[in-house]
Amino acid sequence: MNTAPSTRTQVKRIARNASYDPALLHAIVDAAYVCHIAFADAHGTHCIPTACWRSGDYLYIHGSNGSRMLQRLTEQDCCVTITHVDGLVLARSAFNHSMNYRSAMVYGRFEVVGESAKRDALADFMEHLAPGRQAGIRPGNDKEFAATTVMRIALAEAACKVRTGPPNDDEEDMHIAAWAGVLPLAQARGTPVPDAHCAAAAPAYVKDWATS
């Protein structure tokens, strides 16, 4: 699908890089641990980073019941953004430099997840962080769940934008003797560092962390 779901998701700048494919949107969200949420209140406009995860056709967030952001998000539409930078694109001309990236913008209004679904949603969050983790830890207690709000926003009104490939130099600049190409960037997984008081054996998802 490459038709914008709404006027505010219609990409106009370099529209050839735009996509409205739900599968691509899901992949971009699934690769993220943090999203940025833009909203406004009496103190101005804010853009706050927060942990996120996807389940089905929704992006989820959570926080304290007293969170100013969570309170505002039920009252107004917002914009959620995710960006992954995959490389620096070095061209022969300064103004033709670019980046390779995958990005998504989601518009809409968050809704509060009901108490009956909250525990399952937070279990999904734990599995997003480390598949298999939920089964080996203490689950939340009633007090912890009561102090936590889980919210979700539909992924129905969204736009993706992706750039890949080499620099796009102008023909008249091709003779310039400057190095041109892509400097790749990637998120790297390091060697797990156990807590000093941890005597438990590392589970498979920890042993495989750096190589998965």
Side-chain angles (χ1 to χ4, degrees):
M1 181 183 74
N2 218 40
T3 302
S6 68
T7 55
R8 60 183 175 181
T9 57
Q10 181 69 55
V11 176
K12 298 178 180 178
R13 175 65 178 161
I14 314 181
R16 66 179 179 273
N17 290 346
S19 175
Y20 309 98
D21 179 13
L24 175 61
L25 173 63
H26 289 180
I28 291 172
V29 175
D30 289 347
Y33 294 104
V34 173
C35 66
H36 288 77
I37 303 177
F39 67 100
D41 64 11
H43 301 286
T45 303
H46 315 278
C47 184
I48 296 181
T50 189
C52 66
W53 69 100
R54 182 184 68 86
S55 181
D57 293 322
Y58 291 88
L59 178 146
Y60 286 75
I61 61 172
H62 79 297
S64 165
N65 291 347
S67 165
R68 173 185 61 170
M69 179 178 73
L70 298 191
Q71 292 171 359
R72 297 288 83 78
L73 290 180
T74 61
E75 303 169 354
Q76 61 183 259
D77 280 11
C78 70
C79 179
V80 182
T81 63
I82 292 171
T83 302
H84 306 288
V85 179
D86 298 320
L88 305 180
V89 182
L90 308 187
R92 294 163 180 83
S93 165
F95 278 80
N96 280 330
H97 281 59
S98 186
M99 295 183 186
N100 286 338
Y101 62 89
R102 294 158 288 140
S103 66
M105 297 180 68
V106 181
Y107 290 91
R109 185 169 300 191
F110 276 88
E111 62 183 10
V112 176
V113 174
E115 292 299 318
S116 61
K118 181 191 295 186
R119 293 174 185 249
D120 287 341
L122 288 172
D124 288 342
F125 176 42
M126 195 60 59
E127 290 301 293
H128 172 60
L129 294 179
R133 180 71 176 167
Q134 179 69 19
I137 58 174
R138 176 183 70 79
N141 58 39
D142 291 343
K143 181 179 179 180
E144 290 168 329
F145 279 109
T148 303
T149 297
V150 176
M151 304 183 75
R152 69 180 191 177
I153 187 171
L155 295 172
E157 189 181 358
C160 301
K161 203 172 180 184
V162 176
R163 188 202 188 279
T164 61
N168 296 319
D169 274 302
D170 297 325
E171 186 63 35
E172 58 267 30
D173 293 327
M174 294 301 292
H175 70 283
I176 297 174
W179 190 92
V182 177
L183 301 179
L185 289 171
Q187 188 177 64
R189 295 188 175 194
T191 302
V193 181
D195 179 76
H197 304 289
C198 178
Y205 62 82
V206 173
K207 294 179 179 178
D208 298 338
W209 175 255
T211 57
S212 60

